[in-house]
Amino acid sequence: MQYKIEGGTLPVVICTLENGESMITERGSMSWMSPNMRMETVSNGGISKVIGRMFSGEGMFQNRYTAENGGGMIAFASSFPGSIIAFDIGPGRGMIVQKSGFLASEEGVELSVAFQKKLGKGLFGGEGFIMQRLSGFGTAFVEIDGHVVHYTLGAGESIVVDTGYLAAMSESCQMDIVSVPGVKNMLFGGEGLFNTVVTGPGEVYLQTMPVSAVAGALRPFMPTSSN
């Protein structure tokens, strides 16, 4: 499989497949394709994996697209202005990504649910205590809201991230939730009550325009019903 990402802030990944190669995607992610791409709706795992994908923000079933009678082409466009990042998944190179971040992948990549260990992370972490784990083998494409900023953390090195700005991290990283210090800072600082702390070693990918932040900025301008 070969691919190219086009479109700037409205990106699309265009994949070129050899005969017999397949891509896995979530329901509704295909944008256009050559006519020799065959689609199958599959569970892609047992009932536990199906339920896990549902809890991680994806559909219970996935679509498999296979090139038949020669090479094929298929494209997957982002659902929100931002970036598409390609991750090379393999042993020791698994990724944890934000809920609903998975766009498409080669067939060897496995999508599953990643539960955070502490309940506090789920209640106050902004993106929920359920995230997505990408494991197996192959290239996976992930949607990131807005521009992506990449950091490489050494062992024991940390970065503090505001709610919703964590898009992806290596599975070797650890995530924790800490409260903003000081009552005055909590009440009047405008930054919320909690921050996410990611500790290395590993790669961290941050996003500049989380959907939740955009929704909050637009909320005062949305019409409301009145009696």
Side-chain angles (χ1 to χ4, degrees), residues 9 81-83 144-150 165 167 205-209:
T9 57
S83 309
I144 293 182
D145 305 332
H147 181 69
V148 59
V149 180
H150 169 232
Y165 286 83
Y205 296 82
L206 307 180
Q207 55 193 8
T208 62
M209 191 172 62

Side-chain angles (χ1 to χ4, degrees), residues 145-186:
D145 305 332
H147 181 69
V148 59
V149 180
H150 169 232
Y151 291 95
T152 299
L153 300 180
E157 186 178 6
S158 299
I159 187 170
V160 181
V161 185
D162 196 5
T163 298
Y165 286 83
L166 175 62
M169 65 182 184
S170 302
E171 62 181 358
S172 57
C173 290
Q174 298 295 319
M175 189 182 89
D176 203 355
I177 303 300
V178 298
S179 60
V180 173
V183 176
K184 185 168 65 174
N185 292 336
M186 287 185 176

Side-chain angles (χ1 to χ4, degrees), residues 6 20 41-42 44 48 85 89 97 138 141 147 152 160 210 212:
E6 298 184 353
T41 300
V42 296
N44 211 18
S48 60
I85 301 296
I89 304 299
V97 304
F141 302 102
H147 181 69
T152 299
V160 181
S212 57

Side-chain angles (χ1 to χ4, degrees), residues 127-141:
E127 292 303 303
F129 94 118
I130 297 176
M131 300 180 75
Q132 296 178 331
R133 182 185 304 275
L134 300 176
S135 57
F137 298 88
T139 301
F141 302 102

Side-chain angles (χ1 to χ4, degrees), residues 12-53:
V12 60
V13 56
I14 303 172
C15 302
T16 303
L17 279 63
E18 296 183 1
N19 183 51
E21 285 190 313
S22 298
M23 297 287 296
I24 295 293
T25 184
E26 293 305 300
R27 181 178 57 193
S29 295
M30 189 279 294
S31 299
W32 61 82
M33 64 183 181
S34 58
N36 66 322
M37 295 294 297
R38 175 171 58 89
M39 187 192 90
E40 300 174 274
T41 300
V42 296
S43 61
N44 211 18
I47 187 64
S48 60
K49 292 183 179 180
V50 170
I51 295 176
R53 287 197 300 269

